[in-house]
Amino acid sequence: MTDVLRFFRLEGQPFSCEPYGSGHINRTYLVVTDAPHRYILQKINRRVFKDVPALMENIHAVTTYLARQDPDPRHVLTLVLTTESMPYHCDQDGEYWRMYEFITGGICLNLARNENDFYQSAVAFGRFQNMLSDFPAHTLHDTIAHFHDTPARYAALHAAMQADAVGRLAEVAPEIAFALEREKEAGGLMWLLQSGELPLRVTHNDTKLNNVILDEKENTPLCVIDLDTVMPGLVANDFGDSIRFGASTAVEDEKDLSKVSLSLSLYTTYAKGFLSICGERLTQRERETLPLGAKLMTLENGVRFLTDYLQGDPYYAVARPEHNLDRARTQFALVRDMEQKWEAMNAVLAVLR
Ligand code: ADP
Ligand code: GN1
Ligand code: MG
């Protein structure tokens, strides 16, 4: 893999290249040179992203657009080009690699340490929404078809149940039952989109807390990262994905489900931060559907993890055989808790309206 480094325009000679971060999709490495200079090298998951040149065209366009509005290099991802001035390198095995400038003095969190961490991530995603509000959406490629089409995610679950490719179906009966009991609700946001009640906007679509870099000293937002899924989408899904990951009282793969719940306090904090930045741009209907976004993104992620478990874990990186099942269980525990807190979740937003 170090072989690939010579194709990029680096400052100095590389002397280390180590696995970095905790993303589930790409292979990420921290590269250090003797300049000294640090970079992020990523092998893009081509099983997940079928058309990497199109994906990189999106990222190049979006980062260029954002950098025009905010030229601080710690605030926007900066692609490092190859010696042939390309935004990626394709090696002899057909694997795609890209390089970013490393954002210094930042932290990425898997769990908010306090309310302020989460508030700052809301500000970051709110600003991101604002900065892309006039981006020409029709120029973006769909990097993953039907990405937040929850009914399509259920269809994939049914197919995985049918195939039972690795013989895991029998052991997940309670999780399957939980998912199927809620299948009728899964299309809620898609219907509103199709009926024209919700607008498509340019959204991030993967708004986990660990896809934001915060300044480690100031605790202010630095940069929104992981732009692979920036595509036309629903604001409710961006809001919702942040909530399902960051307003949970436990990490996404917690084994002790008694630790998993929705923190209404973190939920409120995020809603305040997000709406204070981009609330004025949203329609009344969009604001009303934010709680539904939280519930459906959590349900959708549970269904996706469960599907991957049934298929033998082809999609998400796993560190143990039960990893995807553990993740599915936390998502479903969180959905159950959101159902209990549903009125409160809506009341919080009604007050902020
Ligand atoms: P994945 O799609 O696999 O989640 P990400 O693009 O989110 O990959 O990157 C994985 C991790 O690498 C991030 O959570 C973050 O810790 C780190 N990272 C990515 N890009 C940068 C960057 N430009 N500067 C510093 N850290 C980064
Ligand atoms: C993946 O790439 P990463 O780890 O930030 C996934 C998201 C899921 C998330 C669950 C392209 O995000 O959709 O919500 O895992 N990204 C892709 O943690 O599928
Ligand atoms: Mg990520």
Side-chain angles (χ1 to χ4, degrees):
M1 160 246 310
T2 40
D3 193 40
V4 89
L5 296 174
R6 68 192 164 91
F7 293 98
F8 289 91
R9 283 188 205 155
L10 303 183
E11 260 182 53
Q13 289 303 315
F15 66 81
S16 73
C17 180
E18 302 292 337
Y20 191 78
S22 56
H24 296 341
I25 301 297
N26 298 308
R27 290 277 181 83
T28 302
Y29 303 87
L30 171 64
V31 174
V32 186
T33 74
D34 59 8
H37 204 101
R38 282 182 287 175
Y39 298 94
I40 286 287
L41 171 71
Q42 289 186 315
K43 180 161 99 174
I44 304 166
N45 187 327
R46 68 185 161 124
R47 186 179 182 128
V48 167
F49 301 107
K50 310 287 181 210
D51 185 351
V52 177
L55 162 84
M56 291 309 298
E57 204 177 302
N58 279 5
I59 293 192
H60 191 254
V62 167
T63 52
T64 306
Y65 186 87
L66 292 173
R68 248 185 254 129
Q69 293 174 63
D70 185 347
D72 185 330
R74 292 174 79 217
H75 291 178
V76 179
L77 281 175
T78 307
L79 279 167
V80 176
L81 300 185
T82 66
T83 50
E84 293 180 343
S85 299
M86 292 286 287
Y88 58 86
H89 169 71
C90 184
D91 70 17
Q92 71 252 29
D93 301 324
E95 298 289 354
Y96 288 91
W97 299 82
R98 71 174 166 223
M99 185 88 84
Y100 289 117
E101 291 286 345
F102 182 84
I103 295 182
T104 53
I107 39 163
C108 272
L109 300 167
N110 284 318
L111 201 60
R113 297 163 304 183
N114 50 51
E115 299 269 332
N116 186 49
D117 282 340
F118 200 41
Y119 185 85
Q120 298 301 336
S121 76
V123 169
F125 283 120
R127 282 187 193 152
F128 188 82
Q129 177 59 238
N130 283 349
M131 286 169 84
L132 290 178
S133 63
D134 292 327
F135 187 93
H138 66 277
T139 62
L140 287 173
H141 306 279
D142 258 4
T143 55
I144 300 180
H146 303 289
F147 191 54
H148 287 320
D149 179 341
T150 316
R153 298 296 188 174
Y154 265 90
L157 174 64
H158 283 288
M161 287 163 63
Q162 196 75 34
D164 193 15
V166 290
R168 287 172 165 176
L169 182 61
E171 65 178 279
V172 297
E175 288 75 23
I176 296 285
F178 184 94
L180 297 186
E181 275 161 27
R182 286 147 184 88
E183 185 165 5
K184 279 204 209 79
E185 300 167 39
L189 286 171
M190 291 300 286
W191 297 325
L192 293 173
L193 172 65
Q194 280 151 12
S195 66
E197 286 185 62
L198 288 176
L200 267 185
R201 298 185 186 274
V202 175
T203 48
H204 183 281
N205 295 304
D206 190 3
T207 50
K208 299 200 284 195
L209 181 60
N210 68 15
N211 284 332
V212 172
I213 299 182
L214 300 179
D215 187 306
E216 68 183 348
K217 287 211 187 82
E218 313 286 330
N219 258 12
T220 47
L222 277 182
C223 186
V224 169
I225 61 169
D226 204 345
L227 306 179
D228 294 330
T229 51
V230 174
M231 299 182 268
L234 297 175
V235 169
N237 287 335
D238 268 9
F239 175 84
D241 201 23
S242 291
I243 297 301
R244 72 132 198 117
F245 190 88
S248 171
T249 50
V251 285
E252 192 184 58
D253 57 359
E254 175 60 56
K255 279 174 164 294
D256 179 355
L257 294 182
S258 70
K259 292 186 181 160
V260 181
S261 65
L262 175 79
S263 160
L264 273 175
S265 164
L266 284 169
Y267 170 85
T268 308
T269 294
Y270 192 93
K272 278 185 187 157
F274 190 68
L275 291 177
S276 73
I277 303 291
C278 69
E280 279 180 12
R281 289 179 190 270
L282 307 188
T283 65
Q284 181 65 18
R285 202 79 179 101
E286 280 181 297
R287 285 162 162 267
E288 285 164 10
T289 53
L290 298 181
L292 186 58
K295 190 161 67 153
L296 289 187
M297 282 303 294
T298 314
L299 183 61
E300 179 182 293
N301 273 275
V303 166
R304 291 175 64 193
F305 288 135
L306 186 57
T307 303
D308 204 39
Y309 184 69
L310 288 179
Q311 293 173 333
D313 314 310
Y315 191 92
Y316 297 106
V318 288
R320 51 180 190 265
E322 310 263 286
H323 213 156
N324 272 317
L325 181 56
D326 292 340
R327 291 169 178 151
R329 285 179 173 152
T330 62
Q331 301 308 288
F332 291 158
L334 203 51
V335 170
R336 199 185 285 283
D337 198 44
M338 286 180 183
E339 287 169 350
Q340 264 146 31
K341 293 173 175 160
W342 190 238
E343 272 177 33
M345 286 171 72
N346 282 284
V348 164
L349 281 165
V351 173
L352 293 179
R353 230 164 261 157

